[in-house]
Every structure is written in structure tokens, then in C-alpha cells.
Amino acid sequence: MYDEFLNFIFPLAKGAGEIQLAYFRGNDLGIETKSNAYDVVTRADKESEAYIVQAILGRYPGHGILGEEGGVMGTAGSDYRWVIDPLDGTTNYSQGLPIFSVSIALQHKGETVVGVVYAPYLGELFWASKGGGAYMKSRSGEVKRLQVSAKQTLATSVLATGFPYDKDVDPDNNSDNVARIVPYVRDIRRLGSAAYDLSCIAAGLLDGYWELDLHEWDVCAANLIVREAGGVVCDFRRNRGVSQAAGNEVLVGEMLKYIR
């Protein structure tokens, strides 16, 4: 039912990834700051989003768009809205670290129906469509259907998390959650790209994930991938952006005993 959109997004995500790889670990990143010194944007972020937006409006001129860099674009009030994070993991990218991703989702009447996350350097492509399951294509070309981890205890689980950009001025910056939960888990990772973190949850490469103060573009595509892989995504605090936990239902329940 959604093949038309997936077949449109796959080359689009890879094209954005090619832009990013062309600048990666080079000396022409054009790094700038946004909200503060920790919140950075590069030439690759801007060019990737411009490339994606131009392609969407060329193919679907009546659709709306929400992009991290450009905000609200396209046709206001359309039943279709694209949610784009052109380069999720900009801090990693600007440091030359290889974990970053392109995230593209399509919503219909407010419901996410298609989601694609592509990690260009790693050569990993994740996708899902409403009711159609979640899949991953690895660098080798192997395609597999995804299923979240079945682990039921924190002691056997590896979790991922992250920290908000205003962590220096807001004491509600997730450090207390890490301190509470770290004694009870196998380990914690901070990969630096929410879209990739969540895709790893869908693939069972990570067991659980939580983060505070995210934006819709960070997680829109990957949340669908997690749900179509049999996982749950729980918005556990509604007074601070998008603050969510993800994994299988039992493990999310265990995580929520320690995070708030």
C-alpha cells in the first residue's frame, strides 16, 4: 500500500547520504552553532535538507513538510506531511565519528505511515510502513525483518540514552536518570543519533532506550520502525518536549521504575 512512498524515499535518503559522505572528515564542513555552543549545524545538514525538500516538493507539490533546519514548509493543512531530520547526529558527524543518519517519515492525517532511517557511513538502511513490518538492509545487501529484543531484565540489557543541548543550565538534564539506573543494567551506550538508537532497538542490537527533550523530527521515522518491529514507544513525560522510552513492553516497564 505504501510502496510508492518507500520506493521514492530509498534513493532520496541515499542521495542525502552521498552529500554527507562527500564532506565527512573533510575541512569544509562550515560548522555553525544554533541555540548554544553544544548545538551545531554543518553545511551537510543544510544541503541534505535542501536536496530532500526539493525532491519532495517536485514529486508531491501539495504535501506539507517539517524539517529540522527549515521548519514548516510546503502546503499548510495538507493531509500528508513529511517529517525530516536530514542529518541526525550532527555532533558525531562534525567530530568525524561514523554514527549519523538520515531520517525521513511520512504522515497521513497525523499518523506516521512510512519511516526510513539510513546510516550512510555504516551502509545500513532501516524502514517500516504501517502494518507492513520493519526491515533492515545491511552493507552486504542482506535484508532481514526486524524484531525487538526479548530480554526481560535490566541486568541482562544494554540501554542507550542521550542528553539535551541545555544540559549546562538545566539540572533536569538526564544525569539523575543515568545515576539511578546504571547500577541495575548490563551497560549503557550513548551513540549520538536518536534515529539510529531507535533503529538499533528495532533490530535488537540495543535492548532499551530513553531520552529527554527530543524533537518530532528526531524520532518520527524510527518510532514507526520500532513499533512495526513489535516494540513499544512510551512518552513518559509530556511537559518537556518529546521524552520517551522504547523497547519491548516488559523492559520499558522496568526502565520506567528508574527514569522520570
Side-chain angles (χ1 to χ4, degrees), residues 158-182:
V158 176
L159 311 183
T161 191
F163 303 94
Y165 287 122
D166 63 351
K167 59 188 179 299
D168 61 326
V169 296
D170 188 347
D172 186 17
N173 59 17
N174 200 36
S175 59
D176 57 336
N177 290 318
V178 173
R180 277 191 297 270
I181 202 170
V182 74

Side-chain angles (χ1 to χ4, degrees), residues 23-237:
Y23 288 112
F24 187 55
R25 292 179 178 168
N27 298 318
D28 194 27
L29 292 179
I31 300 172
E32 301 173 6
T33 58
K34 296 194 289 186
S35 63
N36 59 30
Y38 313 117
D39 187 8
V40 297
V41 63
T42 71
R43 179 172 287 111
D45 292 79
K46 297 174 183 179
E47 291 186 13
S48 298
E49 182 165 295
Y51 167 80
I52 294 169
V53 169
Q54 182 179 22
I56 291 171
L57 294 181
R59 179 73 172 269
Y60 303 105
H63 287 194
I65 299 173
L66 173 65
E68 178 178 10
E69 307 308 330
V72 177
M73 296 168 279
T75 301
S78 173
D79 284 347
Y80 288 95
R81 185 177 75 144
W82 297 80
V83 182
I84 303 162
D85 191 339
L87 201 172
D88 186 50
T90 302
T91 298
N92 280 353
Y93 181 82
S94 67
Q95 290 287 126
L97 297 171
I99 298 178
F100 54 91
S101 60
V102 181
S103 176
I104 304 174
L106 176 62
Q107 296 178 329
H108 181 241
K109 296 183 177 179
E111 181 180 18
T112 306
V113 295
V114 172
V116 173
V117 174
Y118 176 53
Y121 192 89
L122 302 176
E124 296 176 348
L125 179 69
F126 304 84
W127 72 91
S129 59
K130 179 186 173 184
Y135 299 85
M136 173 187 176
K137 184 176 183 179
S138 64
R139 182 183 293 276
S140 69
E142 178 188 8
V143 175
K144 66 176 182 178
R145 186 160 184 165
L146 301 182
Q147 180 67 42
V148 297
S149 166
K151 292 179 183 176
Q152 306 286 288
T153 64
L154 291 176
T156 59
S157 297
V158 176
L159 311 183
T161 191
F163 303 94
Y165 287 122
D166 63 351
K167 59 188 179 299
D168 61 326
V169 296
D170 188 347
D172 186 17
N173 59 17
N174 200 36
S175 59
D176 57 336
N177 290 318
V178 173
R180 277 191 297 270
I181 202 170
V182 74
Y184 303 102
V185 300
R186 177 166 287 169
D187 215 334
I188 291 179
R189 297 290 181 264
R190 199 297 197 237
L191 301 185
S193 168
Y196 186 74
D197 285 332
L198 287 160
S199 297
C200 288
I201 292 294
L205 303 174
L206 291 168
D207 304 303
Y209 167 82
W210 89 91
E211 193 163 346
L212 311 182
D213 204 18
L214 295 159
H215 297 91
E216 186 177 7
W217 52 73
D218 295 318
V219 298
C220 190
N223 280 351
L224 178 66
I225 295 170
V226 169
R227 291 183 174 117
E228 288 293 328
V232 298
V233 178
C234 171
D235 187 351
F236 61 89
R237 5 173 11 185

